[in-house]
Amino acid sequence: MVVTRFEGRWTLEDRFGSPWQYLAVEVPAGSWGLRAELDYERSGAVMDLGCMGAAGFRGWSGGARREFVISPEAATPGYLPGELEPGTWLVMIGLHRIPPGGADYRVTVTVSARPGELEPGPRPADLPPLRDRPVPRALPSTAGRRWLAGDLHTHTVHSDGVMTVPELARFAAGRGLDFLAVTDHNTVSHHRELPAAGAAHGIALLPGQEVTIEAGHANVLGDVGWIDFREPPDAWLAAAERSGGLMSVNHPYGGDVSWTAPMQRRPPLLEVWHWSWLDPRWTIPLSWWLAWDPAAIPVGGSDWHRPGSDAPPGAPTTWVEAESDDPAAVLAGLAGGRTAVSAGRDGPVLLRVGDELVASAADGTILAGPDGPKARVRGPLAKFPGAPGYHRLVDSAGGTLALTG
């Protein structure tokens, strides 16, 4: 076992130079496990943690963890298990917040050649199958397709959430969702768990990652490999496109995590409806959408992490008209712009079907277009001419209940 220790003081000048700092460790051939531990002065400082192996990315946990372990067979959530390739490894330290006087840090890295000496901990127990779940909604759709209820923004223990992937899958299925994008921050370590967890709990789990920097957050959806968050956002978009993925700007008007990063081109999707749309009478989300790109495909996200911190999966609900509930079919529906967003799975929803706008479970609401209110909705299913531009269902106070592009 070889132990390497680093200590020093990060300053604002270090942060000005780069938000990411690197501590190099040599990993000899035949190594079995690696553990890194970070400790730092907490008064005003926030530091993130990650790892680059000799052959590339091995994990990121941001500010959610202070240590990680990587071995051939297992790794701390957020990190990729696998053989420890010999060479120079880099412990990544993200200088998210550094106070004016700087902050002391200590990093200890242990490398072991003994199998089983460094392990991340026991595997979580399997969950029982879901015995009862809500009946899927039957909504008018194009021939050969159906509308699926889902959520495009959730987190697990692989970043800063509290649920394992199977726990999240079971929870979302119990809320009646057909699909869910699992979008942990700056990592893809959760992707390998998605197929089995989705199959076990009867829900399509879409691989995703929330690419996260101080200037904004964006989801990249699809099995596209790791997106290097250290590159500018235009590089994220190009990487997603090369591998058939989709990029969406998240919570663009979200307080201190609003989108401020410049881009030469616009991603195809926009998280118009985030749980932080606290008052549905606000028109900020609509004005941001129109200013950013009126042609952006609207989606929603709960940003689920844990009880009490945000909204549960499906609040709001993103609807996708797809040929099946296979993740590839859901992504195809998103790419084709066949989306709608509603406050929840069971309330009013506004869909585009052919050349019509269809309002379901919306009796008594008001159909509004880009130029204002257009018609009163009568009955459990109402149809209107499909005029261009975004449309909404609103209540008598002007609060948005559902929308479509």
Side-chain angles (χ1 to χ4, degrees):
M1 181 180 293
V2 178
V3 179
T4 306
R5 293 183 173 88
F6 304 86
E7 60 180 51
R9 189 171 185 84
W10 299 122
T11 68
L12 276 176
E13 284 67 31
D14 294 317
R15 175 63 180 82
F16 299 155
S18 173
W20 301 289
Q21 304 292 329
Y22 305 92
L23 304 173
V25 176
E26 291 302 316
V27 174
S31 296
W32 170 269
L34 179 147
R35 179 175 63 216
E37 302 165 89
L38 166 67
D39 188 23
Y40 64 89
E41 185 181 352
R42 302 304 176 90
S43 56
V46 179
M47 297 186 192
D48 296 333
L49 184 62
C51 182
M52 299 294 290
F57 176 76
R58 291 305 292 261
W60 180 261
S61 50
R65 288 187 170 80
R66 288 290 159 260
E67 67 175 76
F68 64 82
V69 174
I70 299 174
S71 75
E73 298 175 357
T76 301
Y79 295 81
L80 302 177
E83 298 292 334
L84 271 64
E85 66 272 15
T88 302
W89 285 50
L90 301 174
V91 176
M92 300 171 61
I93 306 296
L95 305 184
H96 185 61
R97 290 284 183 271
I98 300 297
D104 291 335
Y105 72 90
R106 291 162 296 281
V107 172
T108 303
V109 183
T110 304
V111 179
S112 172
R114 183 182 302 173
E117 187 170 33
L118 296 178
E119 292 291 350
R123 180 183 180 276
D126 292 334
L127 297 173
L130 193 66
R131 295 188 178 277
D132 189 24
R133 62 183 297 167
V135 177
R137 285 185 68 173
L139 297 170
S141 61
T142 307
R145 299 176 184 152
R146 63 188 179 97
W147 288 97
L148 304 175
D151 192 327
L152 292 178
H153 191 170
T154 62
H155 299 277
T156 72
V157 294
H158 285 266
S159 60
D160 53 350
V162 298
M163 287 183 167
T164 64
V165 170
E167 286 171 341
L168 176 60
R170 193 176 193 276
F171 182 43
R175 290 181 54 80
L177 298 187
D178 303 301
F179 71 88
L180 191 75
V182 186
T183 55
D184 282 308
H185 295 280
N186 291 343
T187 189
V188 292
S189 61
H190 54 292
H191 286 192
R192 67 186 61 208
E193 299 183 34
L194 300 181
H201 300 289
I203 185 169
L205 297 181
L206 278 61
Q209 55 200 291
E210 185 170 15
V211 192
T212 304
I213 60 173
E214 189 167 351
H217 303 183
N219 276 347
V220 173
L221 305 175
D223 190 10
V224 302
W226 177 64
I227 300 295
D228 192 341
F229 56 89
R230 300 167 299 176
E231 297 292 328
D234 281 299
W236 311 347
L237 177 58
E241 291 173 337
R242 283 195 302 270
S243 300
L246 297 171
M247 179 174 161
S248 171
V249 169
N250 288 350
H251 43 68
Y253 44 87
D256 64 350
V257 291
S258 297
W259 185 265
T260 60
M263 291 193 74
Q264 297 297 314
R265 296 189 296 124
R266 298 298 190 238
L269 308 181
L270 178 66
E271 191 180 65
V272 173
W273 198 328
H274 182 256
W275 75 266
S276 58
W277 191 354
L278 299 177
D279 187 336
R281 296 171 299 178
W282 293 345
T283 54
I284 295 172
L286 306 174
S287 64
W288 210 100
W289 180 11
L290 295 175
W292 175 253
D293 181 6
I297 299 165
V299 298
S302 66
D303 206 353
W304 168 255
H305 289 78
R306 62 186 58 80
S309 72
D310 22 56
T317 295
T318 298
W319 297 90
V320 177
E321 191 187 45
E323 295 178 357
S324 74
D325 60 3
D326 181 81
V330 176
L331 287 170
L334 287 166
R338 302 189 297 272
T339 71
V341 191
S342 60
R345 173 192 179 272
D346 299 318
V349 61
L350 182 64
L351 311 169
R352 286 191 181 272
V353 181
D355 58 358
E356 293 181 317
L357 287 165
V358 179
S360 176
D363 185 36
T365 66
I366 297 168
L367 175 68
D371 54 354
K374 299 182 66 171
R376 190 188 302 271
V377 178
R378 302 286 193 184
L381 193 68
K383 299 180 179 181
F384 304 91
Y390 78 91
H391 283 69
R392 298 180 291 153
L393 295 176
V394 300
D395 59 22
S396 59
T400 298
L401 304 170
L403 62 82
T404 190

